[in-house]
């Protein structure tokens, strides 16, 4: 499965729900798989996609928040897993596109090519549901679990709740398109799409 | 300080612990029960969480020690500033007058020049009596202009010397 195919499944499962993408190939492939207003593309801040997603999940508990991270990016901010495990937002889905490479910067190995296990790390930090998948069917099944558990009618049954970690072992798909570069446009379109439209500044006086 | 951030409309504090501010979370829990707090493992992470809170319609505050500003620079430079995501930043100073630890001095001295280089406005809470008003103004300016604003709390305010006997 390529990264682009994997993200296509995430976009399909997310419906109208927000997706926060780490910079580089995760963001490029999210744009390629389906540009939509509820996509938040980062152009910098490597490592922080899961933190941005955590803040959003805490601010909006009624939204199911998806984060597309890379293995290299998550390795840069592993402490984030501990904070997410502490706050334990039930509406948080962390999808790690693990190609075992720093693909955006030339394909150097990451530690996951040499045994680092991000699923085990998330479990150790208190994520409630953690899985590593290698096929499109297994990914679709894992994503379906997060959707079921979020449905209010099912909430009283013993469906699993987040935070979820889905590590997807992927091959590179050499992105050919890039998302909009205008950061403020990305932000304002995203906030409006998730029901938190950024108000015009009002020149507040003390 | 809590009065000031509350008056600026902030109901979310993301925090990496610091000794002079150690009682702040207790005050927030006792007095401002609608303020949520999150302890981050690292200051850069705190700014990421704050950015997500803002995207979700909140007005976040990040509290950190001056040394932690060094851990935050890429988040400020490549996320908050280009996306115009405002955060009220409260920096508990180390390395200024009253410091005993040489390891705190270089970053403490660098706080104002770093903020200047990034284009972050800085205000200093000069006295305990004016701290709430300064924090409030920095917050209102940040959320009104969508530029993160920094309020420095000097050591002479957070850890005033005991009067000579």
């Amino acid at each position: 499965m390529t990264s682009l195919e994997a993200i296509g499944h995430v976009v399909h499962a997310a419906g109208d729900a927000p997706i926060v993408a780490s910079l580089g190939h995760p963001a490029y492939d999210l744009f390629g798989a389906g540009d939509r207003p509820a996509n938040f593309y980062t152009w910098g801040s490597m490592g922080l996609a899961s933190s941005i997603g955590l803040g959003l999940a805490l601010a909006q508990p009624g939204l199911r928040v998806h984060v597309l991270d890379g293995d290299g990016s998550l390795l840069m901010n592993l402490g984030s897993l501990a904070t997410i495990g502490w706050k334990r937002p039930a509406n948080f889905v962390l999808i790690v596109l693990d190609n075992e490479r720093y693909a955006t910067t030339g394909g150097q190995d990451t530690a996951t090519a040499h045994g680092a296990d991000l699923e085990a790390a998330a479990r150790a930090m208190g994520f409630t549901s953690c899985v590593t998948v290698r096929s499109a069917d297994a990914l679709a099944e894992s994503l379906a679990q997060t959707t079921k558990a979020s449905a209010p009618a099912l909430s009283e049954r013993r469906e699993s709740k987040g935070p979820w970690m889905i590590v997807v072992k992927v091959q590179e798909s050499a992105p050919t398109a890039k998302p909009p570069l205008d950061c403020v446009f990305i932000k304002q379109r995203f906030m409006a799409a998730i029901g938190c439209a950024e108000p015009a500044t009002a020149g507040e006086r003390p | 300080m809590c009065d000031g951030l509350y008056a600026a409309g902030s109901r979310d504090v993301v925090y990496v612990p610091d000794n002079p501010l150690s009682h702040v979370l207790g005050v927030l829990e006792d007095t401002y029960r609608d303020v949520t707090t999150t302890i981050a493992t690292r200051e850069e992470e705190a700014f990421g969480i704050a950015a997500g809170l803002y995207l979700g319609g909140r007005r976040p505050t990040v509290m950190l020690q001056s040394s932690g500003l060094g851990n935050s620079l890429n988040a400020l430079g490549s996320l908050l500033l280009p996306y115009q995501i405002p955060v009220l930043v409260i920096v508990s100073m180390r390395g200024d007058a009253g410091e005993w630890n040489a390891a705190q001095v270089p970053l403490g001295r660098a706080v104002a020049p770093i903020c200047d280089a990034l284009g972050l406005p800085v205000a200093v809470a000069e006295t305990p009596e004016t701290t709430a008003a300064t924090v409030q103004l920095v917050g209102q300016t940040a959320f009104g202009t969508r530029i993160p604003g920094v309020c420095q709390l000097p050591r002479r305010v957070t850890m005033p010397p005991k009067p000579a006997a």
Side-chain angles (χ1 to χ4, degrees):
Chain A
M1 176 175 29
T2 65
S3 169
L4 184 65
E5 288 166 345
I7 292 175
H9 284 281
V10 174
V11 171
H12 177 74
D16 296 331
I19 303 176
V20 176
S22 186
L23 78 167
H25 287 193
Y28 302 168
D29 277 337
L30 175 59
F31 180 76
D35 184 39
R36 51 207 268 289
N39 289 349
F40 187 78
Y41 306 104
T42 57
W43 277 106
S45 58
M46 182 169 171
L48 293 187
S50 65
S51 303
I52 298 167
L54 172 61
L56 179 58
L58 294 172
Q60 292 293 329
L63 291 177
R64 192 169 73 259
V65 175
H66 304 78
V67 173
L68 295 177
D69 219 340
D71 46 314
S73 293
L74 182 56
L75 286 167
M76 193 180 266
N77 185 18
L78 276 181
S80 178
L81 296 180
T83 309
I84 295 162
W86 177 354
K87 304 302 277 191
R88 215 164 285 196
N91 57 329
F92 182 85
V93 189
L94 177 54
I95 299 130
V96 182
L97 302 153
D98 183 3
N99 53 22
E100 305 182 356
R101 299 284 182 274
Y102 291 101
T104 308
T105 57
Q108 305 87 345
D109 282 5
T110 66
T112 64
H114 300 276
D117 183 342
L118 296 172
E119 177 199 338
R123 180 174 294 112
M125 293 297 156
F127 277 57
T128 52
S129 179
C130 308
V131 66
T132 299
V133 299
R134 295 167 190 280
S135 71
D137 286 349
L139 172 60
E141 172 59 27
S142 296
L143 288 166
Q145 294 296 319
T146 70
T147 313
K148 270 192 222 163
S150 299
L154 295 170
S155 62
E156 290 175 15
R157 289 163 51 181
R158 287 192 191 163
E159 299 286 352
S160 71
K161 286 188 175 175
W164 289 272
M165 157 76 98
I166 304 174
V167 178
V168 192
K169 292 287 187 178
V170 292
Q171 286 95 46
E172 261 304 289
S173 43
T176 56
K178 292 183 180 177
L181 268 163
D182 183 333
C183 298
V184 175
F185 167 77
I186 293 168
K187 174 193 68 172
Q188 293 192 326
R189 186 177 74 147
F190 178 82
M191 291 177 72
I194 64 168
C196 302
E198 190 175 41
T201 53
E204 291 173 46
R205 287 170 190 276
Chain B
M1 204 183 85
C2 299
D3 290 346
L5 68 89
Y6 198 87
S10 185
R11 300 290 181 272
D12 299 271
V13 175
V14 192
Y15 179 33
V16 175
D18 167 66
N19 193 37
L21 299 181
S22 57
H23 57 287
V24 169
L25 287 192
V27 171
L28 288 171
E29 281 167 18
D30 293 344
T31 311
Y32 299 101
R33 301 205 171 164
D34 56 338
V35 173
T36 69
T37 58
T38 300
I39 291 188
T41 63
R42 180 179 161 87
E43 292 81 0
E44 184 180 35
E45 182 202 0
F47 281 105
I49 295 167
L53 286 163
Y54 183 78
L55 294 176
R58 313 286 293 186
R59 290 181 161 204
T61 298
V62 169
M63 298 196 310
L64 70 166
Q65 190 178 84
S66 48
S67 47
L69 189 69
N71 287 344
S72 311
L73 300 184
N74 191 43
L76 290 162
S78 71
L79 179 63
L80 274 66
L81 284 163
Y83 287 82
Q84 295 180 16
I85 293 175
V87 173
L88 167 56
V89 185
I90 297 173
V91 178
S92 171
M93 290 302 299
R94 295 292 306 267
D96 57 354
E99 183 58 62
W100 53 271
N101 182 350
Q104 294 283 1
V105 173
L107 249 300
R109 285 175 55 98
V111 166
I114 285 171
C115 291
D116 188 49
L118 284 171
L120 294 172
V122 181
V124 179
E126 296 289 354
T127 66
E129 293 73 27
T130 56
T131 295
T134 307
V135 168
Q136 178 183 347
L137 286 171
V138 170
Q140 284 172 329
T141 301
F143 298 121
T145 61
R146 296 187 186 143
I147 301 169
V150 176
C151 180
Q152 284 182 291
L153 299 182
R155 210 168 156 73
R156 64 180 179 273
V157 171
T158 57
M159 304 284 260
K162 295 185 179 72

